[in-house]
Amino acid sequence: MVKPRQRPPSGRTNLASCIVATIFLIFVVIVILIVFFTLFKPKDPKISVNAVQLPSFSLANGTVNFTFSQYVSVQNPNRAVFTHYDSTLQLLYSGNQVGFMFVPAGKIDAGRTQYMAATFAVQSFPLSTPATAGFSPEIVGPNVTDGLGGMRVGPTLEIESRLEMAGRVRLLHFFAHHVEARADCRVAISVTDGSVLGFHC
């Protein structure tokens, strides 16, 4: 007895199967990417200023001259290496730049914290009239008192430091994301001896 021949699958059936398989693969890829970028979402690094010092300080005829030191830690919270470009550390007084330092490019490994120290000489600049006359601007950070009436010791001046870092985080060696961080600090300095009374970032 001769068995009837089965008809081969039509072209439409093959096309429909391919479309369904393609849609399923696209859906799986999208889910994987969503999960990946949720877990590995690029984050901006965090800059913390740990200490500010003035190793040398002098004041003569209303003109101040000193050496500025700042110690910072840069944390990379990403699961990939943070590659930062050339950066800058600026020092400002009354809105004018009085100091500048170049920070070379580098890398910070995933989940690691890198400690940096910057020390540079600041060009001599004249104090503004209020500071020269003994006027104390608003002081931030710890207070320094004379232990009697709680008054601040001597006239003060305030400077501002600005550290900016920008770079990229590359995920899977293909996806590059731009990240950046900055730290703006106000530093209160005693005009009498150049001691740092406090700072706030």
Side-chain angles (χ1 to χ4, degrees):
M1 184 176 180
V2 179
K3 292 182 179 180
R5 274 187 173 182
Q6 294 182 351
R7 293 181 59 185
S10 63
R12 290 185 178 180
T13 305
N14 290 335
L15 179 60
S17 300
C18 290
I19 292 175
V20 172
T22 302
I23 294 175
F24 177 75
L25 288 176
I26 293 175
F27 176 76
V28 171
V29 170
I30 291 175
V31 171
I32 292 175
L33 289 177
I34 291 175
V35 173
F36 177 80
F37 284 108
T38 300
L39 296 177
F40 295 87
K41 182 180 179 181
K43 301 176 184 177
D44 290 331
K46 298 178 182 178
I47 301 177
S48 299
V49 178
N50 303 319
V52 176
Q53 297 177 352
L54 270 63
S56 64
F57 181 89
S58 63
L59 174 64
N61 300 323
T63 300
V64 66
N65 183 25
F66 58 86
T67 302
F68 181 81
S69 295
Q70 182 168 285
Y71 303 87
V72 304
S73 57
V74 184
Q75 179 189 7
N76 176 18
N78 296 285
R79 297 174 182 265
V81 175
F82 167 52
T83 303
H84 61 87
Y85 313 131
D86 294 335
S87 308
T88 58
L89 173 59
Q90 293 177 290
L91 203 63
L92 299 97
Y93 174 69
S94 297
N96 300 316
Q97 180 176 300
V98 295
F100 175 88
M101 183 171 183
F102 173 79
V103 181
K107 295 182 179 181
I108 303 177
D109 292 334
R112 302 301 296 270
T113 299
Q114 182 169 321
Y115 297 90
M116 301 180 180
T119 300
F120 56 93
V122 177
Q123 269 190 327
S124 301
F125 60 89
L127 293 177
S128 59
T129 303
T132 306
F135 172 80
S136 296
E138 179 186 0
I139 300 302
V140 290
N143 291 337
V144 178
T145 62
D146 57 9
L148 300 175
M151 301 298 293
R152 197 172 306 280
V153 177
T156 62
L157 68 90
E158 186 177 274
I159 58 176
E160 182 180 358
S161 68
R162 293 180 181 174
L163 174 60
E164 299 181 357
M165 296 186 72
R168 69 175 185 271
V169 175
R170 191 181 296 275
L171 302 177
L172 294 179
H173 303 286
F174 294 105
F175 304 101
H177 295 269
H178 178 81
V179 293
E180 59 183 19
R182 62 180 296 165
D184 295 341
C185 299
R186 295 165 58 194
V187 184
I189 303 170
S190 170
V191 175
T192 306
D193 57 3
S195 59
V196 176
L197 303 178
F199 63 91
H200 176 72
C201 302

